[in-house]
Amino acid sequence: MDASLVEEVFPPQVRARMEQTAEVWPAGVLEDFDSPDAVDALRTAEVLVTGWGCPPLDAAVLGRAPRLRAVLHAAGTVKTFLSPGVFERGIAVSSAAEANAVPVAEFTLAAIVLGAKRALPLARLYGRRRTQRTAADLARPAWMGAHGLTVGLVGASRTGRRVAELLRTLDVEVLFYDPYTAEADIQALGARQVDLDTLVATSDVVSVHAPATAETRHLIDAHRLELMRPGTLVVNTARGSLVDTEALTAHLVSGRLDAVLDVTDPEPLPPDHPLWDLPNVWLTPHLAGALGNESARLGALVVDELERFAAGEPLRHPVLWPDWDRTA
């Protein structure tokens, strides 16, 4: 992994737990798999602990790691570096995506509350005019505030489910669209399952939480943006490719919709893109996921998995090959 992140992800108390469970390679952190140190380490390694910045774990690397039995990833997706050969070898894989979902869900809840309050455009007006202003200054809000809203969540992912749990603190109705999740599971979250067109047409807030796959590219497309009612707030803390940026831009420039976008497609947007300057758009630099002191959750989850693996117990957060095509 990127060596600069190690102390955040594995602070002393988490690192100490790891060293109680495993013999940790003493020479530091590998940032590639081709150096003499890496070749030496791989020769005897039974477990790889990986993170952001991990280089490809391909057939050539696996060939130099004959004893490897587990890859424990201290971040979200493993698709950026893991080859199918890992699963063909029967190597166990785990991800800290569950831990990363916590700050993403918290950020999403904040985005929904602040976006529903039209806080960003009003703050910009306030800063420009330096006098007290009210919602009337916006001239066009279809609604304002979270009370009584319908919030539509696209994807019952780890983050989507946690957002639904957090939304129980608000007086809102929650809708879900997820073709892979049973109605009973959605109801257990205090929500109602609907088709995607119904969700976007009846929600005051549409928040996107699906994985980025070929199937979900532009899931929120021009047609579904047209179905949204004036004043709808679009929140994307998942992946930029889930939303058709060009189609969304037209609705945001006209003022018909509002948006909080932690991710875009492309990312970042070109410097001259109109979304940078729109008062009804809040762009943030892909910061919803674990950062700073939040990162220790990732390391703690990985050490939990390491302890289970060492004890011969099943991993609690496995990444499974049958789910590969529909997971983040």
Side-chain angles (χ1 to χ4, degrees):
M1 64 179 70
D2 184 336
S4 68
L5 299 171
V6 173
E7 290 187 5
E8 285 187 359
V9 178
F10 297 101
Q13 67 273 23
V14 177
R15 173 70 181 238
R17 285 179 52 210
M18 179 187 293
E19 292 175 345
Q20 289 173 358
T21 305
E23 181 183 347
V24 179
W25 188 63
V29 179
L30 294 177
E31 294 188 275
D32 66 75
F33 289 129
D34 299 318
S35 68
D37 278 347
V39 171
D40 182 53
L42 289 171
R43 191 177 296 114
T44 58
E46 295 178 276
V47 177
L48 282 180
V49 173
T50 59
W52 291 299
C54 183
L57 186 54
D58 54 23
V61 177
L62 292 174
R64 299 197 295 271
R67 298 179 61 187
L68 185 63
R69 296 193 292 136
V71 176
L72 309 180
H73 190 52
T77 182
V78 298
K79 287 186 173 182
T80 55
F81 71 95
L82 210 62
S83 76
V86 170
F87 297 98
E88 293 169 5
R89 275 258 307 261
I91 295 169
V93 179
S94 177
S95 163
E98 185 77 34
N100 195 51
V102 175
V104 178
E106 293 170 347
F107 186 94
T108 302
L109 178 67
I112 291 171
V113 172
L114 291 173
K117 200 74 169 180
R118 315 289 174 175
L120 182 65
L122 283 171
R124 286 179 169 170
L125 275 173
Y126 194 34
R128 188 168 69 245
R129 297 179 181 176
R130 311 292 172 95
T131 58
Q132 190 68 39
R133 296 292 166 176
T134 69
D137 286 303
L138 294 179
R140 56 123 192 97
W143 46 266
M144 187 171 178
H147 175 72
L149 294 186
T150 298
V151 179
L153 304 179
V154 181
S157 60
R158 296 175 180 87
T159 303
R161 290 166 183 259
R162 190 169 286 271
V163 170
E165 293 170 359
L166 294 177
L167 285 171
R168 292 182 178 184
T169 64
L170 306 179
D171 184 15
V172 299
E173 179 186 13
V174 179
L175 306 180
F176 258 111
Y177 165 74
D178 191 310
Y180 300 105
T181 302
E183 174 70 24
D185 293 334
I186 297 297
Q187 290 175 353
L189 292 167
R192 184 161 56 90
Q193 175 86 284
V194 296
D195 64 82
L196 186 53
D197 284 359
T198 298
L199 183 147
V200 298
T202 59
S203 296
D204 302 294
V205 178
V206 175
S207 190
V208 183
H209 303 288
T213 66
E215 183 183 5
T216 61
R217 178 171 175 77
H218 289 184
L219 194 63
I220 306 300
D221 58 7
H223 165 68
R224 289 178 175 129
L225 290 163
E226 287 285 352
L227 291 177
M228 294 180 188
R229 296 173 295 180
T232 298
L233 172 68
V234 178
V235 178
N236 190 359
T237 55
R239 288 290 184 267
S241 63
L242 298 171
V243 179
D244 183 337
T245 300
E246 183 176 353
L248 176 62
T249 297
H251 291 278
L252 296 173
V253 169
S254 72
R256 183 174 173 272
L257 303 177
D258 287 1
V260 178
L261 305 174
D262 189 50
V263 289
T264 56
D265 185 22
E267 188 176 305
L269 294 171
D272 59 349
H273 198 282
L275 294 191
W276 288 113
D277 299 314
L278 290 179
N280 55 322
V281 179
W282 186 16
L283 292 177
T284 53
H286 202 145
L287 54 77
L291 294 172
N293 55 297
E294 298 168 330
S295 301
R297 282 197 188 102
L298 309 178
L301 183 147
V302 161
V303 175
D304 288 346
E305 293 286 71
L306 179 65
E307 291 169 346
R308 275 188 285 273
F309 185 77
E313 299 172 359
L315 297 175
R316 187 168 293 168
H317 305 283
V319 178
L320 304 174
W321 178 248
D323 300 331
W324 185 260
D325 290 337
R326 58 186 180 89
T327 56

